[in-house]
Amino acid sequence: MPDTITKLTYQTFQHGKNYFGLAHKYLSSQIMSLVSPQMQRNYRPISPELLLKIQTRLNQLLEADWNDAEKGVYPHSLLFDNPWTDFFRYYPEVWLDMPQIWQRLNQKNYQDFSANVPKDGYPSYYLQNFHHQTNGYLSDLSANLYDLQVELLFGGSADPMRRRILAPLKENLKATGQVRILDVACGTGRTLKLLRNAFPQASLFGTDLSPAYLRKANQELSQIPGELPQLLQANAEELPYLDNYFHAITCVFLFHELPAAARQNVIDQCFRVVQPGGVFVICDSIQMSDSPEMLPVMDSFHETFHEPYYKHYITDDLGQRLEKAGFEDISEQVHFMSKYLIARKPAQ
């Protein structure tokens, strides 16, 4: 990316994505009001004061994103990395999938899977239509639409929020030689792609429960330079790695989709497989403890987007769970609609 890129160029690019996301949500809301007036009446409007706070938080996120690129945490080119091919290919399919989503919403049918989708071997809490997605996380269509749907939900800010894990990793990774980093619940590989750009020489690993999402991740990651990350289908509650194997572990947007016991199990597993002195970085939704002013958004999120474990998540003490597993030096950050916990395993 040429040196002539300016902060204004980046801000214009990001705000353009944000406005498109807002336009998409407005249009879908208007159509929903025609399709199902009762369902539309259940949605609570956000006050102008809260909208202003949300915009301020978005601006602060973009400022942090630009500053990290200026500091060399990652290349400026990453600021403009957008899955345009997927956008033009799959955006029409987002709309084609809407009638099924609205039907599930009307019928409150949250465990709706096609007969040809294998469901054996998954924990029961995973067999959900998270975000009202057709076939949950178990179809190629879901994997193809996921990143686009998340970008529309967050107005183009999903990747800037994901990138906030990179600076803490660079600050905490002191290992020399070959660094091994594991991304738990890697999904379509967006976080692994960011890690490859920030740590070009690292050995990257990823696990996910969904074969469809791992296929998508392999497809996307095979197109970027560097060693291909090693991906495995695995439950994060039973990570298939040796004790003390990784220098760092990341986990992005997983914990709000887990019941409480599973959250602790995942944290315990991450403690087991990270090296003494290694770092564990979590990125997930904001919580009541750090963003009480965002309660109107958090309070309706679980119902609007079918997140069955979210309401408990926003009051859960993740720091306490990390301490229970054995982590120390736990710190927290908040950027826009996401919260970050950075924890270290005690050095021997």
Side-chain angles (χ1 to χ4, degrees):
M1 192 65 66
D3 294 335
T4 53
I5 287 176
T6 65
K7 186 176 182 179
L8 179 60
T9 306
Y10 166 66
Q11 291 173 331
T12 302
F13 172 75
Q14 280 296 146
H15 284 299
K17 291 202 296 178
N18 181 242
Y19 294 144
F20 185 87
L22 291 173
H24 170 83
K25 281 184 272 193
Y26 174 78
L27 182 57
S28 60
S29 174
Q30 293 303 301
I31 295 175
M32 185 187 293
S33 68
L34 298 174
V35 174
S36 178
Q38 176 59 44
M39 191 164 57
Q40 181 64 19
R41 281 195 291 271
N42 293 334
Y43 286 93
R44 284 163 281 184
I46 298 175
S47 70
E49 294 80 13
L50 184 55
L51 284 173
L52 181 60
K53 289 180 181 178
I54 292 172
Q55 184 62 53
T56 299
R57 290 166 74 116
L58 174 61
N59 292 338
Q60 292 169 343
L61 169 70
L62 301 185
E63 182 77 15
D65 198 25
W66 173 262
N67 288 340
D68 276 354
E70 287 283 277
K71 295 173 187 173
V73 176
Y74 39 81
H76 284 86
S77 58
L78 210 56
L79 300 176
F80 297 87
D81 180 51
N82 199 63
W84 296 112
T85 302
D86 277 8
F87 174 84
F88 290 112
R89 181 178 177 184
Y90 295 119
Y91 186 63
E93 294 200 44
V94 170
W95 282 104
L96 290 172
D97 195 39
M98 286 290 190
Q100 295 184 71
I101 290 175
W102 290 328
Q103 183 178 14
R104 278 192 294 274
L105 273 164
N106 271 320
Q107 297 175 352
K108 298 187 182 300
N109 186 2
Y110 304 131
Q111 294 177 305
D112 178 32
F113 291 86
S114 301
N116 62 341
V117 173
K119 298 183 288 295
D120 294 337
Y122 297 102
S124 58
Y125 63 76
Y126 190 70
L127 297 176
Q128 304 272 351
N129 298 109
F130 292 104
H131 316 153
H132 303 291
Q133 290 189 108
T134 299
N135 290 319
Y137 289 138
L138 297 178
S139 73
D140 290 313
L141 174 64
S142 170
N144 286 331
L145 298 185
Y146 176 80
D147 286 327
L148 176 54
Q149 289 171 326
V150 172
E151 283 297 308
L152 292 170
L153 170 64
F154 288 116
S157 66
D159 274 348
M161 286 192 290
R162 289 188 185 102
R163 284 194 285 268
R164 304 280 59 74
I165 70 169
L166 299 177
L169 279 178
K170 286 211 163 181
E171 291 168 5
N172 283 274
L173 269 177
K174 307 301 183 185
T176 58
Q178 196 68 30
V179 174
R180 292 185 294 273
I181 304 174
L182 169 66
D183 185 38
V184 174
C186 65
T188 64
R190 292 295 294 175
T191 300
L192 285 167
K193 187 175 183 181
L194 302 179
L195 290 168
R196 172 56 70 223
N197 278 271
F199 300 91
Q201 304 305 317
S203 291
L204 301 181
F205 299 75
T207 65
D208 202 271
L209 261 176
S210 171
Y213 277 64
L214 289 172
R215 284 192 292 271
K216 181 70 173 179
N218 266 315
Q219 174 189 330
E220 295 297 317
L221 295 169
S222 65
Q223 299 176 27
I224 62 175
E227 176 188 342
L228 189 66
Q230 299 180 41
L231 305 181
L232 285 177
Q233 183 187 6
N235 187 335
E237 295 185 78
E238 301 174 350
L239 292 173
Y241 300 105
L242 297 173
D243 295 357
N244 307 321
Y245 187 67
F246 295 101
H247 299 89
I249 300 176
T250 60
C251 187
V252 177
F253 300 147
L254 170 66
F255 281 90
H256 71 280
E257 293 189 342
L258 296 175
R263 282 180 220 134
Q264 189 64 56
N265 291 339
V266 172
I267 289 173
D268 291 345
Q269 283 290 294
C270 290
F271 183 83
R272 179 182 66 81
V273 301
V274 74
Q275 292 184 0
V279 62
F280 180 31
V281 181
I282 297 172
C283 163
D284 216 294
S285 166
I286 52 176
Q287 295 182 293
M288 282 293 298
S289 59
D290 51 77
S291 302
E293 73 278 14
M294 293 292 145
L295 175 60
V297 177
M298 289 186 277
D299 195 41
S300 61
F301 186 80
H302 71 284
E303 186 174 11
T304 305
F305 296 101
H306 184 58
E307 294 282 6
Y309 312 110
Y310 184 80
K311 199 159 188 177
H312 181 274
Y313 163 83
I314 62 174
T315 61
D316 199 7
D317 190 336
L318 294 181
Q320 188 177 69
R321 292 191 181 279
L322 288 163
E323 289 179 352
K324 182 179 178 181
F327 285 103
E328 63 180 16
D329 298 333
I330 300 164
S331 61
E332 298 181 5
Q333 300 176 10
V334 174
H335 297 281
F336 190 38
M337 306 305 288
S338 288
K339 174 177 184 171
Y340 306 77
L341 293 100
I342 303 99
R344 296 186 66 85
K345 185 171 182 175
Q348 290 179 343

